[in-house]
Each structure stands twice: as structure tokens, then as C-alpha cells.
Amino acid sequence: MTIPFHRLLAVETRKLFDTRSAAILTAVLLCVTVAAVAGRGLYAGPDMRRLVWTAGIGYSTILPVLGILTVTNEWSHRTALTTFALEPRRWRVMAAKTIPPAVTAVAASLFAVLVAIPATALTSALRDLPADWNATPAAMAGWTATNTLFVMMGVALGALLLNGPAAIVVYLASTGVWNAVAMLGAAGETAAEWLDLNRTTAPLATGDWAHADLSRIAVSAALWIVIPLLLGVARVSRKEVK
Amino acid sequence: MIEFSHVSKTYKDVKALDDVSFTIEPGGVTGFVGPNGAGKSTALRILVGLCRATSGSATVLGVPYHELERPAHQVGTLLDAGALHPGRSGRETLTLGAVALGLPGPRVGEVLDLVGLTRKEARRAVGSYSLGMRQRLGIAHALLGGPRVLVLDEPANGLDPQGIRWMRTLLRDLADAGCAVLLSSHLLHEVEQVADHIVVIGRGRVLVQGTVAELDRGGGLEQTFLELTANADRSAR
């Protein structure tokens, strides 16, 4: 009838990488990954899991920002006028926008693992230390899942606020806010344990599946991803595009 | 092909559109003329479903835009030449539209040729374009799907005299081929030489509509326009 979903997906994937700022962000992502993994290797030794996690420090900021901008760019540059004239059923565009950032998070995570393999081997040879190939598939899967959850949090906040700077501030401030909440006695501690996505996903990120409480992850993901995303899609669907 | 039927739009306490009704037939160019802030852009955005009318209805080819089958194939729109991502090349901007509409790759080159943008210009980021080049790119985007209806908001803004003449010829050719063209402008002289019909709007109301000959009340079209809109510009609010 109108535009098939796979074409919307192709368009939104292109949009993620076809601008000058997107090209710069991608280059930064790749360079930061290589630099972080190699640098950590020289400093901390051939501990593969640790090298991979080092890339995660950059990812926890860059990937969510990518997620935020993929949604908010339409409004800051007012390309929403064209986008929603091409596809008036706006929820379909929004659905297509959620997928490329998630795939990017998985690809970036995979890239970090691939960089960590030669970095570990090289460090082992250079420093004459035994290589520790401790990056189990389970640990890497948990870490990748965490990166994906945070990029989705970015997409959701971007959709809800439709304002890049505001969404970035909320995203960056959320960690600090939860740390403060956790200090407000037992009730605050409990709230943070269930609602702070950083806390609930911490065991997942380190590959400690035995201590990952899926119900807590689900509750915090509902609060920071599902609910804002649904509210954001509803907002975009009703919004007057100017 | 386009029908506005008693369309009103109220923002809080401001009436942006007040009972706007007019119809556009195929094979002609209709100029939608009025001072800045008269409600032209609001009307066009309601037509393509980007804004909602408070009351009344606007239809294209007999149905609301969002109910059209393949709307962007049938209706080409240029709503704001400034609403382009500055970091994206002109060619890439068009390619996104072509991918969305499922058009073959060479279509992008065809519309570039149609609007007179060179391949070299198309490779540049849109941020470096003049307003006239952005208008050409926007018109190219509107033409991608080979539409039967064209809706252009202030397309002559920023075009140089050659550009205005070029656009006049292009729109005339499209109308002669059976397209319905609706273009808005705040400058009468930009549209009077190309339009068959004129709809004059001021303060959200249709002040007068008719063929160019009908509206020329002896003193010329411009005189009619100025008399009608004298009390209808923004400052009179």
C-alpha cells in the first residue's frame, strides 16, 4: 500500500551514517575503540575481557548520543517535514528509527571484541606475559546486550524529548541522580536497585549472569526505554510538524 | 484534485485559518497568494497531513492525504526549502527520497537535470547551498515520484530572475502535461505570469479567487491584490 517497512529501514539506516557529523561520529567511535583497547592492553596487560570493557567506557556515551540524535535531528533540522510527508503513518518511521542504532551497538561491540583479540596477543608478546583469553561468549553477549540497552535508552529519551541537548543532559545526569537517590536511606537504595538501568545491568555488563536479576532489568528497561519510547511515538504521531 | 472545504485552524486564541474553501482542477497552476503570516503555510501543511485542521477538511485526489495510496508518488511537496539537513549532500538528500519511494537509482540524476543542479553541486553538502539552490533541490525532491499534484510553498523565494523564469517554464510544462500545481507566494508578481488561477488569502480568510483575467479589475492585478490585503497583513492584527 505505501512504503514497505524494509525501505523505511533502509532510509533510516542511511540517515544514521550519511551526514558529515555522522561520518565524524563513526570515525571517532572506531578510533576511540582501537585506542582504548590498545592503550589499556599496554597498561593493564593481556587481559582480553578487561580490554573489551575499556571500549565500553566510550560506548556508554557515544552510542546513546547516536541514538538520541537519530530521532532529534529530524526536528532540529526540520527534515520531519519531508520524512512525514513521505510516510504519513509516523509510528512506522519511528519503528524504523529504533532498529539501526541497536544494530550499530551490536556491531560496535563486535568490533571491540575483534580489536581486543590481536591487542591481547600483541600485548602478551610485547610484555612477555601469558595472554588471558577470559572473554567468554557469555560475558561478551552480556556486555553487548548492555550496550544495546543503553543505545535504546538514548533513542527513547530522544523520542520523548525531541530535543538533542535536553536528551543528552538527561541521559548523562541520570547516573548521578541515581547515585544520589541511593544515598537517601533504604527506600532510595531499593528504588535505585530496581529503577537505575546502570545498576540493574551492571552484572550483565561484566558477564556475571548468575547475579543478573532479569526482573530488575525488565523493570528499569520499562522505565527508561519502553515507556519513554511509547510516549515519544505517541507525541510524534500527534505533533504538528512545522 | 485539491479541495479545501471550510478549513479552520485555531492556535489558542489566534485564528490562523478561517473557513478556507477552494478547489484546484488538473492541468493548471494555482497561485496561493497573501502577505506573510496570512496562513498559506498552515493551509498547505494541513493539506498534506502535517498539521490538523480544527474544523473542515482538505483532500487531495478525493481523500485526505494520509489515506492516499502511495501519497508521495501522487503528490510532490516542497514545504520549506530551508528544512534540509545541512551536513547531507544534495544527491544523498534525493537518494533518501528515491529509496523510500522505491525508485530506480538513475531517477536521482534525472531530477537533478530537470532542476539544473550539476553533478558537482549535488555532491556538496546542502549547508553550502544558496537559498536558490535549496529551492531547486526541494523541487527536485518533489518531482521524484512523478507526481500528478505538486504543492510548493514559496518555491520562488531566493531564486534569481533566471531561476524564476526557469521555474515558470517548468511549472507551465507540468501543468500542460495534466498536473495540478499549487504554489504559494507572498509576492504577486512571482505567480501572476505563471498562474491560471489565483487564490488571495489574508488573515486566514480567502479574500478572493478566480482566474487572472477575472481578478484584474481594470487597475491591474497588483492593484486588486494591494486593495484586498491592505488591512490583512501581520501588522494590522
Side-chain angles (χ1 to χ4, degrees):
Chain A
M1 157 118 183
T2 57
I3 303 177
F5 191 73
H6 70 89
R7 291 216 300 255
L8 289 176
L9 195 57
V11 168
E12 294 306 327
T13 307
R14 280 188 88 110
K15 281 186 191 170
L16 201 52
F17 300 105
D18 70 356
T19 63
R20 204 172 278 175
S21 49
I24 294 169
L25 202 60
T26 307
V28 167
L29 190 73
L30 297 178
C31 294
V32 163
T33 305
V34 174
V37 171
R40 186 64 180 260
L42 292 173
Y43 179 74
D47 178 343
M48 181 175 168
R49 203 165 56 183
R50 199 183 268 187
L51 300 198
V52 173
W53 292 342
T54 311
I57 298 168
Y59 287 5
S60 67
T61 330
I62 297 174
L63 290 175
V65 167
L66 190 80
I68 288 168
L69 294 181
T70 186
V71 183
T72 61
N73 266 343
E74 295 274 4
W75 303 92
S76 51
H77 298 297
R78 302 196 303 124
T79 47
L81 279 173
T82 312
T83 303
F84 296 129
L86 287 175
E87 177 49 275
R89 289 179 296 171
R90 300 180 195 169
W91 66 268
R92 297 183 80 227
V93 175
M94 295 303 288
K97 276 190 186 297
T98 60
I99 297 171
V103 173
T104 305
V106 173
S109 304
L110 200 63
F111 177 68
V113 174
L114 290 177
V115 172
I117 295 170
T120 305
L122 206 64
T123 315
S124 167
L126 282 173
R127 297 185 50 179
D128 201 20
L129 290 168
D132 195 349
W133 302 104
N134 49 8
T136 61
M140 292 301 99
W143 180 70
T144 303
T146 309
N147 289 335
T148 311
L149 284 172
F150 279 98
V151 79
M152 293 311 294
M153 178 177 165
V155 172
L157 289 178
L160 181 68
L161 300 172
L162 299 181
N163 177 311
I168 291 170
V169 167
V170 170
Y171 174 76
L172 294 177
S174 66
T175 312
V177 169
W178 282 117
N179 286 338
V181 169
M183 284 188 277
L184 300 173
E189 180 73 32
T190 309
E193 278 170 6
W194 281 85
L195 302 177
D196 176 5
L197 196 62
N198 268 299
R199 251 165 241 254
T200 60
T201 58
L204 196 63
T206 54
D208 184 6
W209 287 85
H211 288 96
D213 184 342
L214 290 181
S215 51
R216 291 182 186 200
I217 292 172
V219 168
S220 53
L223 180 68
W224 288 102
I225 299 170
V226 180
I227 293 172
L229 192 57
L230 291 177
L231 289 175
V233 172
R235 185 179 176 198
V236 168
S237 297
R238 294 158 164 273
K239 196 172 164 64
E240 304 246 303
V241 188
K242 289 176 189 170
Chain B
M1 279 187 142
I2 294 176
E3 185 173 9
F4 281 87
S5 176
H6 305 289
V7 174
S8 293
K9 174 74 180 175
T10 312
Y11 290 107
K12 289 187 184 122
D13 49 351
V14 182
K15 222 164 189 183
L17 293 175
D18 187 0
D19 198 30
V20 168
S21 294
F22 64 90
T23 307
I24 290 172
E25 303 300 336
V29 178
T30 301
F32 191 32
V33 191
N36 288 324
K40 303 183 297 290
S41 295
T42 305
L44 299 185
R45 280 163 202 195
I46 286 172
L47 181 66
V48 296
L50 293 171
C51 294
R52 268 186 310 275
T54 310
S55 63
S57 69
T59 57
V60 195
L61 301 163
V63 295
Y65 180 83
H66 68 271
E67 287 176 18
L68 278 172
E69 208 163 301
R70 310 203 302 163
H73 285 85
Q74 308 206 55
V75 184
T77 52
L78 166 58
L79 296 167
D80 187 339
L84 296 163
H85 195 298
R88 194 170 275 143
S89 74
R91 172 175 279 277
E92 178 62 20
T93 303
L94 295 174
T95 302
L96 288 175
V99 171
L101 298 183
L103 304 170
R107 182 63 188 154
V108 170
E110 284 170 28
V111 291
L112 281 171
D113 292 342
L114 215 51
V115 302
L117 285 174
T118 66
R119 302 301 148 104
K120 199 175 162 194
E121 287 167 334
R123 275 197 299 274
R124 274 164 48 195
V126 172
S128 70
Y129 282 22
S130 65
L131 182 54
M133 288 170 76
R134 285 172 201 236
Q135 295 284 15
R136 286 172 188 262
L137 183 64
I139 292 170
H141 197 280
L143 294 174
L144 270 173
R148 288 192 283 159
V149 179
L150 267 182
V151 177
L152 311 172
D153 197 0
E154 297 275 2
N157 236 3
L159 286 179
D160 52 26
Q162 287 86 348
I164 290 179
R165 173 180 284 184
W166 158 79
M167 195 186 66
R168 216 180 273 154
T169 312
L170 176 80
L171 298 184
R172 190 72 260 161
D173 290 349
L174 287 165
D176 290 345
C179 264
V181 181
L182 173 60
L183 81 153
S184 79
S185 177
H186 63 286
L187 297 170
L188 181 71
H189 71 82
E190 280 177 357
V191 297
E192 66 176 323
Q193 290 178 25
V194 61
D196 312 292
H197 281 77
I198 305 262
V199 177
V200 180
I201 184 173
R203 278 189 181 180
R205 302 182 67 100
V206 173
L207 301 172
V208 71
Q209 52 181 312
T211 63
V212 172
E214 282 165 9
L215 296 186
D216 187 346
R217 299 173 184 168
L221 200 55
E222 184 154 34
Q223 189 58 35
T224 310
F225 176 68
L226 287 174
E227 280 167 16
L228 284 166
T229 56
N231 294 312
D233 67 358
R234 233 181 217 166
S235 56
R237 276 214 174 133

